[in-house]
């Protein structure tokens, strides 16, 4: 029976006085169900609009329902963006940035899955997002995930000396609960369909196989005439989950093992731009052609193939071209869909204590000597490697920062399952190999593997990549094998029975 509105508001007021809990649950512990009485309206202010009121449903609809919400998070200009690790002022907004939310509900428990047009978010920013959701919507933080698309043309949340970046982050804090509330108000009965698309040739794993049997990473520069081929082919399978909601607009979720970092130095009239990368033309084309709500979830590590990367190959000239091509692939995936079962919304989390890589005192000393030689003699990367065994200056600095002190860092993992659909989220750039492992071992008919979810811990190379070194390996905080431990745990969470 539905509670009286007055009772809901009164109880909501009492709940607001209680401290919110944002701790993650243990590995196999199910998330507590959110009661009807915990859903009441509260006021927020938005600098871009008149004051609005977040109005939530008095009660969750019965059965399996899905809703969609979106709020703009475009920044003021000029704003500092992160191109390739360097702060750059962008003066042009090429297209809006969005916080997109898909809400899934089984009548008793709800989960919110956000896709954010950001490069990444720090743990502190994610914590603030979670607190905002808990405070304004009364949904536990463990039921909410935030996946960044990893566009390098988005503002940097940690920049405090540019007022535009600070204001942008405040805009995000206000947009997040608005998108979530919109998704909850939009809940409607849904039937689930899943599809597959083939993106062969569009993405690649960032390793070059050279004639001498060694590998060269993308950050080592474009391959020369010694290039033989690619280490492996990126997972070409694009996955779709479509929620058919009858008379209401369908919701389409897309997961592809390629993050939105295809053109981090985008410029218009020699000025850097703020951009959602290939996500923008993909989103616009899919929504126009198919008349659906669209949400993209960043997959495992991969890059879009452009003409400068591989001798004799030319695939896409720009991220806009890539996004337009993906529209057709998504349309093809929907032509051969499979209906799958829905079910209870289950959210499970785990904390893995990842062992941090350590360095011997001798290796740290060598790195210090190498840095001095770079400064004094201007060594090239090739000379640096020949003399000291380091790939680059950044390799040296990472080695020094790891030092010799053994320690661990907590890695928060999230698995969401509703019937035959699973969502596996990790707070790092997942390697293609581990993404495939999760996808293939998952008990779900379709599983989204999502990197940069609920934080950013940098690269997590798969075990097979460590012997070859290169940028992602020496930039990784963790010992070899950590990616496999996390992948196994995510499969375990998806497979757990209540």
């Amino acid at each position: 029976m539905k509670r009286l509105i007055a009772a809901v508001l009164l109880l909501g007021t009492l709940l607001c006085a209680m401290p919110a809990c944002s701790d993650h649950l243990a590995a196999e512990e199910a998330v507590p169900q959110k009661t009807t009485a915990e859903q009441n309206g509260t006021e927020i202010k938005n600098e871009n609009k008149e004051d609005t009121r977040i109005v939530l449903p008095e009660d969750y609809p019965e059965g399996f329902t899905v809703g969609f919400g979106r709020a703009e998070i475009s920044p003021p200009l000029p704003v500092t963006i992160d191109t390739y690790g360097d702060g750059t002022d962008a003066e042009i907004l090429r297209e809006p940035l969005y916080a997109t939310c898909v809400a899934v509900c089984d009548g008793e428990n709800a989960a919110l899955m956000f896709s954010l047009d950001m490069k990444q978010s720090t743990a502190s920013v994610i914590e603030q997002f979670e607190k905002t959701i808990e405070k304004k919507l009364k949904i536990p933080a463990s039921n909410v995930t935030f996946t960044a698309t990893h566009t390098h043309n988005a503002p940097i949340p940690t920049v405090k000396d540019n007022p535009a970046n600070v204001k942008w982050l405040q805009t995000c804090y206000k947009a997040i609960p608005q998108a979530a509330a919109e998704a909850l108000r939009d809940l409607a009965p849904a039937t689930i369909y899943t599809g597959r698309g083939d993106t062969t040739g569009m993405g690649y794993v960032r390793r070059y196989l050279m004639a001498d049997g060694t590998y060269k990473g993308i950050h080592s520069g474009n391959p020369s005439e010694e290039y033989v081929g690619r280490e492996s082919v990126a997972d070409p399978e694009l996955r779709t989950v479509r929620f058919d909601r009858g008379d209401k607009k369908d919701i389409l979720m897309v997961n592809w093992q390629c993050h939105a970092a295809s053109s981090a130095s985008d410029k218009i009239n020699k000025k850097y731009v703020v951009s959602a990368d290939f996500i923008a033309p993909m989103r616009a084309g899919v929504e126009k052609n198919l008349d659906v709500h669209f949400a993209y979830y960043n997959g495992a590590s991969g890059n879009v193939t452009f003409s400068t990367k591989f001798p004799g190959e030319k695939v896409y000239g720009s991220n806009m071209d890539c996004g337009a091509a993906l529209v057709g692939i998504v349309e093809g995936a929907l032509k051969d869909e499979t209906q799958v079962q829905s079910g209870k919304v289950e959210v499970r989390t785990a904390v893995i204590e990842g062992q941090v890589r350590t360095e011997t005192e001798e290796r740290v000393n060598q790195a210090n000597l190498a840095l001095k030689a770079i400064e004094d003699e201007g060594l090239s990367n090739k000379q640096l490697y020949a003399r000291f065994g380091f790939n680059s200056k950044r390799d040296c600095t990472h080695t020094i920062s790891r030092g010799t002190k053994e320690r661990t860092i907590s890695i928060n993992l999230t698995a969401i399952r509703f019937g035959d659909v699973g969502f596996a989220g990790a707070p790092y750039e997942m390697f293609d190999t581990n993404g495939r492992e999760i996808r293939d071992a998952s008990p779900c008919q379709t599983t989204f593997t999502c990197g940069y979810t609920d934080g950013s811990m940098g690269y997590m190379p798969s075990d097979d990549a460590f012997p070859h070194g290169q940028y992602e390996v020496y930039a990784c905080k963790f010992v070899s094998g950590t990616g496999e431990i996390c992948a196994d745990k995510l499969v375990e969470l998806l497979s757990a029975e209540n």
Side-chain angles (χ1 to χ4, degrees):
M1 179 182 297
K2 294 185 176 180
R3 293 169 172 76
L4 293 175
I5 294 177
V8 174
L9 293 176
L10 176 60
L11 184 52
T13 302
L14 294 175
L15 287 170
C16 288
M18 299 174 63
C21 175
S22 60
D23 293 337
H24 285 277
L25 302 180
E28 284 79 25
E29 185 179 355
V31 172
Q33 294 178 351
K34 181 167 64 64
T35 65
T36 302
E38 290 176 281
Q39 303 169 66
N40 60 80
T42 184
E43 291 185 355
I44 67 169
K45 292 183 178 180
N46 186 330
E47 294 178 358
N48 299 320
K49 300 179 180 179
E50 294 295 322
D51 289 0
T52 59
R53 182 175 181 81
I54 290 183
V55 180
L56 298 179
E58 182 187 348
D59 206 350
Y60 285 143
E62 294 182 359
F64 181 76
T65 57
V66 184
F68 180 88
R70 177 182 290 162
E72 186 174 341
I73 55 171
S74 300
L77 300 172
V79 68
T80 305
I81 64 173
D82 192 344
T83 51
Y84 285 115
D86 301 316
T88 304
D89 282 343
E91 302 177 54
I92 297 174
L93 178 64
R94 196 180 72 185
E95 66 263 338
L97 303 184
Y98 292 107
T100 299
C101 178
V102 174
V104 292
C105 180
D106 59 15
E108 297 177 331
N109 198 34
L112 305 178
M113 292 176 285
F114 276 90
S115 173
L116 306 177
D117 288 336
M118 298 180 178
K119 181 184 177 185
Q120 59 201 35
S121 291
T122 64
S124 61
V125 170
I126 292 296
E127 183 179 3
Q128 185 61 46
F129 287 163
E130 292 172 341
K131 287 181 178 179
T132 303
I133 290 289
E134 285 189 327
K135 179 181 178 181
K136 299 187 181 300
L137 278 72
K138 306 299 177 288
I139 292 180
S142 51
N143 279 41
V144 188
T145 61
F146 298 93
T147 300
T149 62
H150 201 52
T151 169
H152 285 45
N153 294 86
I156 304 175
T158 54
V159 172
K160 295 182 174 61
D161 57 357
N162 186 340
N165 289 71
V166 176
K167 188 174 182 179
W168 169 74
L169 197 52
Q170 294 303 316
T171 297
C172 294
Y173 290 144
K174 296 171 183 177
I176 293 297
Q178 288 179 336
E182 182 181 337
L184 291 172
R185 291 194 300 269
D186 186 53
L187 288 171
T191 303
I192 307 176
Y193 294 85
T194 64
R196 303 284 187 273
D198 184 4
T199 66
T200 299
M202 295 186 68
Y204 67 98
V205 175
R206 297 181 293 191
R207 291 290 189 280
Y208 308 138
L209 176 61
M210 308 304 286
D212 61 2
T214 62
Y215 292 95
K216 177 177 284 191
I218 180 176
H219 293 277
S220 300
N222 293 326
S224 65
E225 63 277 1
E226 298 174 338
Y227 164 78
V228 174
R230 311 184 192 188
E231 178 186 23
S232 62
V233 177
D235 184 357
E237 190 173 279
L238 177 145
R239 297 199 161 200
T240 63
V241 172
R242 183 175 63 87
F243 301 102
D244 187 324
R245 304 194 300 163
D247 294 337
K248 295 196 74 171
K249 184 176 288 190
D250 291 355
I251 298 170
L252 179 64
M253 302 170 68
V254 173
N255 180 231
W256 181 36
Q257 308 314 315
C258 189
H259 56 58
S262 59
S263 186
S265 57
D266 253 4
K267 294 180 182 179
I268 296 177
N269 296 329
K270 300 182 179 180
K271 294 181 179 180
Y272 284 98
V273 303
V274 173
S275 166
D277 209 277
F278 67 74
I279 307 302
M282 182 185 186
R283 176 165 51 211
V286 168
E287 292 193 336
K288 177 182 178 182
N289 294 357
L290 301 176
D291 191 28
V292 297
H293 293 305
F294 175 85
Y296 177 83
Y297 293 86
N298 164 31
S301 179
N303 271 29
V304 173
T305 303
F306 286 103
S307 58
T308 58
K309 301 304 181 195
F310 301 99
E313 295 186 24
K314 182 176 181 180
V315 183
Y316 294 104
S318 72
N319 49 21
M320 302 299 286
D321 294 340
C322 171
L326 285 166
V327 174
I329 291 173
V330 171
E331 291 176 345
L334 300 188
K335 291 178 180 178
D336 190 23
E337 291 180 312
T338 300
Q339 182 177 345
V340 300
Q341 295 296 315
S342 60
K344 293 190 69 63
V345 176
E346 302 170 81
V347 185
R348 297 186 177 88
T349 63
V351 179
I352 298 295
E353 293 301 323
Q355 184 178 341
V356 175
R357 296 170 65 189
T358 60
E359 300 289 351
T360 64
E361 184 176 355
E362 179 182 4
R363 185 66 171 165
V364 172
N365 289 338
Q366 280 289 99
N368 279 305
L369 290 173
L371 285 179
K372 189 174 187 308
I374 292 172
E375 182 177 349
D376 294 344
E377 304 173 39
L379 296 184
S380 67
N381 285 346
K382 185 175 183 179
Q383 292 170 327
L384 178 67
Y385 186 82
R387 189 187 304 183
F388 296 100
F390 293 102
N391 290 281
S392 67
K393 181 177 180 180
R394 185 175 291 185
D395 190 358
C396 299
T397 57
H398 279 295
T399 299
I400 294 169
S401 69
R402 287 193 292 266
T404 59
K405 183 179 180 181
E406 293 189 9
R407 62 193 189 280
T408 61
I409 298 177
S410 296
I411 305 170
N412 296 313
L413 305 173
T414 301
I416 299 174
R417 182 173 179 179
F418 39 95
D420 287 335
V421 176
F423 175 99
Y428 48 75
E429 188 160 314
M430 187 186 302
F431 260 43
D432 180 88
T433 302
N434 293 147
R436 290 174 187 254
E437 289 173 353
I438 296 169
R439 182 197 71 184
D440 294 343
S442 170
C444 303
Q445 199 273 350
T446 287
T447 299
F448 280 20
T449 54
C450 301
Y452 287 110
T453 298
D454 297 335
S456 172
M457 294 184 167
Y459 295 104
M460 184 69 80
S462 52
D463 186 58
D464 59 344
F466 272 83
H468 307 312
Q470 299 303 325
Y471 170 68
E472 295 90 346
V473 171
Y474 65 69
C476 175
K477 298 180 177 69
F478 301 98
V479 298
S480 178
T482 306
E484 282 68 27
I485 293 173
C486 292
D488 290 344
K489 177 56 69 175
L490 284 166
V491 173
E492 180 182 328
L493 296 179
L494 289 169
S495 306
E497 298 286 343
N498 276 335

